[in-house]
Amino acid sequence: MYKEIIKKAIDAKAKSYSPYSKFSVGAAVITEDGVMYSGCNIENAAYTPTICAERTAIFKAISEGNRIIKKIAIIGSTKDTFPCGVCRQVIREFQSEDMEIIVANSLEDYKVFKLEELLPYSFGPDKLKKESD
Ligand code: THU
């Protein structure tokens, strides 16, 4: 059930551009309509323009018009690479109600989380709504 998305993340990891950290990461998402997008981390000589694999994959989905993420898989260069704080917040913006975060080490070795576990008490789009709205 999770093998296809993990495979996509593994393939994306192979495309990582990470000459500075030498820490390659791959991610893949499945959107509400079943389309998969993948991404890798892309570093920069000026360091701060670096983007994580998760955000590459999510932004590819969003820019293709698919805004609801059902699943996201991540695989890094060390065991159990969890999404960074910035990526958790971006995942928060586009999550489906039952979204799953798959932290993978291989096709057979992975753990599945809910965003609530990784980003409790989060700030999201609903929080911008005032009572007067
Ligand atoms: N990185 C990701 O792509 N995703 C994460 O969740 C953790 C960190 C990247 C950023 C940078 O290129 C390298 O891993 C080391 O931090």
Side-chain angles (χ1 to χ4, degrees):
M1 183 186 173
Y2 297 110
K3 281 196 167 45
E4 203 187 347
I5 189 170
I6 294 172
K7 169 83 169 63
K8 192 101 172 152
I10 291 170
D11 290 348
K13 181 175 181 280
K15 302 205 171 71
S16 165
Y17 177 73
S18 44
Y20 307 107
S21 72
K22 298 185 169 42
F23 191 90
S24 56
V25 185
V29 299
I30 299 182
T31 57
E32 198 177 38
D33 48 6
V35 184
M36 272 211 275
Y37 298 89
S38 64
C40 59
N41 56 329
I42 305 168
E43 299 186 344
N44 190 281
Y47 289 13
T48 54
T50 293
I51 187 163
C52 292
E54 297 91 317
R55 275 175 291 144
T56 303
I58 292 169
F59 293 159
K60 280 169 71 178
I62 305 310
S63 61
E64 293 299 321
N66 289 310
R67 291 190 181 164
I68 302 177
I69 307 294
K70 296 276 292 178
K71 287 184 175 53
I72 179 164
I74 302 115
I75 182 156
S77 294
T78 51
K79 194 171 158 54
D80 296 343
T81 297
F82 281 81
C84 79
V86 171
C87 288
R88 291 179 199 203
Q89 185 64 36
V90 172
I91 294 167
R92 169 71 181 84
E93 189 75 20
F94 300 110
Q95 65 172 344
S96 67
E97 230 168 69
D98 54 349
M99 190 196 62
E100 294 177 311
I101 300 176
I102 303 142
V103 175
N105 298 309
S106 70
L107 289 181
E108 290 80 31
D109 177 15
Y110 58 85
K111 298 183 180 81
V112 183
F113 297 89
K114 297 281 176 209
L115 183 64
E116 180 65 22
E117 297 176 86
L118 305 188
L119 192 70
Y121 307 106
S122 66
F123 188 86
D126 52 305
K127 295 283 190 285
L128 289 174
K129 290 206 177 71
K130 299 176 193 135
E131 260 165 48
S132 53
D133 286 350

